Amino acid sequence: MPRFFTEEFSADKTYAVVSGEDAAHISRVLRMKEGDSITLCDRNATDYMGIIRSADSGRVEVEITESRPSAGEPSIQAVLFQALPKGDKMDLIVQKAVELGIFRVEPVLTGRCVSRPDPKSWARKRERLQKIAWEAAKQCGRGIIPQVGELLTLEEALSRMAGYDLPLFFYEQSRRPFAPLLGGQWRSAALLVGSEGGFDPEEAEQAKRAGIPDVSLGSRILRCETAPIAALSALMFQSGNL
C-alpha cells in the first residue's frame, strides 16, 4: 500500500491532508483516486491507514480508519557521528544509515577531514542530505524522518556521545573487538566513525579522556563510507532489528 509522510492531521486524527510534491505524486504518478487505500505517517512513529476522499495535484484528502505504531522503527535509538568525508560519500552514508534504522546523523569535523565547507556551502549540502534522508525514510517505511545535524567539533561530538547507553569510537588502531560490546540490552547507541584516513592519535586520546571506548571493525581497513554501514548493520542485527 502506498505510504506518505504528513503532519496535516485533524485534532482528533480522523482526517488528514497530503499536499505539495507528495500530493502530485499520488494523483499524477500513482493515479490514485477517491476510494483508494493509503497509509500516512505522522513523522512521530505512528502510521495511519485511510481512504482517499479527494485527490488532485495540489491536495489529497484522506479519511483515517485505523492507526498503529510504525513497524519500521527499531527498538534501539542509534545516532551516527560521522566525520565529514570528501565528495558525495556522505550522500551514500546518510541514505544507507536511514535505511538501516539510524535515528539521527551528526556530521563532525576532525583533523583528517579533507572536506571543510564554509557555512554557506554547508547549508546547501545539509539541505541536500536532509532531502536524501527524507526520500530514504519514505522508501523503506520508517516512522520518522531522521535529521541531519549541524557540523560539530570533535569535542562537541564526544560530549554529546557521553549521554548514550553505548557510545563507541571506531578507531583503526584499536584492538578491542566490536562483537562483545553488543551483548547488552542497550536502549541507545552513539557511533563515531572517521573520514578518509581515520583519526589521529591525539583524537583517540581525546576520546579516551572523554570516557568513550575505542573499538575495532576487524583486521580489514574499511572505506569511510563502508565502516558506518558495517557498524550499524552489526548493531541492528545484535539488537534484534535485522
Side-chain angles (χ1 to χ4, degrees), residues 12-184:
D12 60 2
K13 297 293 180 73
T14 61
Y15 182 85
V17 171
V18 181
S19 55
E21 181 181 327
D22 279 345
H25 185 77
I26 291 168
S27 60
R28 292 180 180 175
V29 179
L30 298 179
R31 298 185 181 279
M32 298 182 74
K33 57 188 184 303
E34 182 179 347
D36 287 345
S37 297
I38 192 170
T39 299
L40 304 178
C41 181
D42 63 359
R43 306 189 187 192
N44 195 32
T46 300
D47 286 348
Y48 295 84
M49 282 53 70
I51 304 297
I52 294 177
R53 292 310 179 200
S54 68
D56 59 42
S57 60
R59 181 181 175 90
V60 175
E61 300 180 1
V62 179
E63 178 185 345
I64 303 301
T65 58
E66 183 186 353
S67 66
R68 63 171 74 110
S70 300
E73 286 310 301
S75 60
I76 186 170
Q77 187 181 97
V79 175
L80 173 62
F81 290 81
Q82 175 66 50
L84 195 63
K86 61 185 179 181
D88 59 0
K89 294 177 183 178
M90 195 69 171
D91 296 8
L92 176 68
I93 292 170
V94 168
Q95 182 189 65
K96 300 311 176 188
V98 170
E99 290 179 22
L100 286 166
I102 204 71
F103 178 76
R104 185 177 176 87
V105 178
E106 300 279 15
V108 184
L109 275 180
T110 62
R112 295 183 180 176
C113 287
V114 175
S115 177
R116 294 185 174 274
D118 58 49
K120 187 175 181 180
S121 61
W122 170 247
R124 291 194 300 269
K125 186 177 183 70
R126 186 187 180 201
E127 183 178 0
R128 186 179 77 252
L129 292 171
Q130 190 60 63
K131 185 175 182 181
I132 290 170
W134 172 73
E135 290 172 343
K138 185 168 63 171
Q139 178 272 321
C140 70
R142 293 292 303 273
I144 66 168
I145 301 175
Q147 297 298 297
V148 178
E150 288 286 2
L151 276 174
L152 303 175
T153 65
L154 180 60
E155 183 178 5
E156 290 169 333
L158 293 172
S159 177
R160 294 189 186 189
M161 290 175 67
Y164 291 82
D165 294 342
L166 181 65
L168 297 172
F169 172 68
F170 289 91
Y171 185 42
E172 59 275 15
Q173 300 300 321
S174 177
R175 294 295 178 265
R176 182 182 288 113
F178 184 25
L181 298 176
L182 296 175

